[in-house]
Amino acid sequence: MKPLNPAAIAPPFARYSHGMEVPAGRRLVFCSGQLGIAADGSVPEDVRAQADLCFANIAAILAEAGMTLADTVRVNAYVTDRAYMKGYMESRDAHVGTPPPASTLMIVSGFTRPEFKVEIEVVAAAH
């Protein structure tokens, strides 16, 4: 996969690529948004812990297709407060590969339950 960061536009604000080119012949997996909830139903209070759980859930989904988080080409993430951006971005940077995927982060008013602070979805590509 090839990161696309043209010199004609401002560089990314953080560790992500403006775009990712996926070569022909790659399989794609589209993951639904994952919330920071463990298999036992518990939800940590901390946004970083929730984001880490989101990525762990995504890793399990990708494993079903024989992929890993390193195969991620796009991340869409949603947080419920600007203050949660840092914890989310620390988690993202710890879990995605190099080159970093294309990424969007939005602040939203909330999720299905008030304890959720972050939701993450990805697109991955591999042979």
Side-chain angles (χ1 to χ4, degrees):
M1 291 169 281
K2 176 182 170 186
L4 304 173
N5 292 303
I9 64 175
F13 291 122
R15 188 176 176 272
Y16 64 89
S17 298
H18 280 305
M20 291 292 285
E21 181 180 355
V22 177
R26 297 277 175 125
R27 296 179 300 116
L28 297 176
V29 171
F30 296 83
C31 293
S32 293
Q34 296 298 305
L35 294 161
I37 186 167
D40 66 3
S42 63
V43 177
E45 174 66 26
D46 178 67
V47 70
R48 170 67 195 262
Q50 284 191 24
D52 288 342
L53 265 174
C54 292
F55 279 110
N57 293 341
I58 291 165
I61 295 164
L62 294 177
E64 290 283 308
M67 295 184 190
T68 70
L69 289 170
D71 297 310
T72 300
V73 295
R74 176 150 183 77
V75 177
N76 288 333
Y78 312 90
V79 296
T80 57
D81 192 292
R82 190 174 307 278
Y84 300 149
M85 291 171 56
K86 183 177 186 278
Y88 156 72
M89 289 191 301
E90 288 172 352
S91 180
R92 179 200 61 199
D93 292 351
H95 289 95
V96 299
T98 299
S103 183
T104 297
L105 174 59
M106 291 186 276
I107 300 168
V108 298
S109 63
F111 301 114
T112 55
R113 291 179 12 201
E115 65 266 37
F116 294 127
K117 297 176 179 172
V118 61
E119 182 170 348
I120 302 169
E121 60 187 35
V122 308
V123 176
H127 289 290

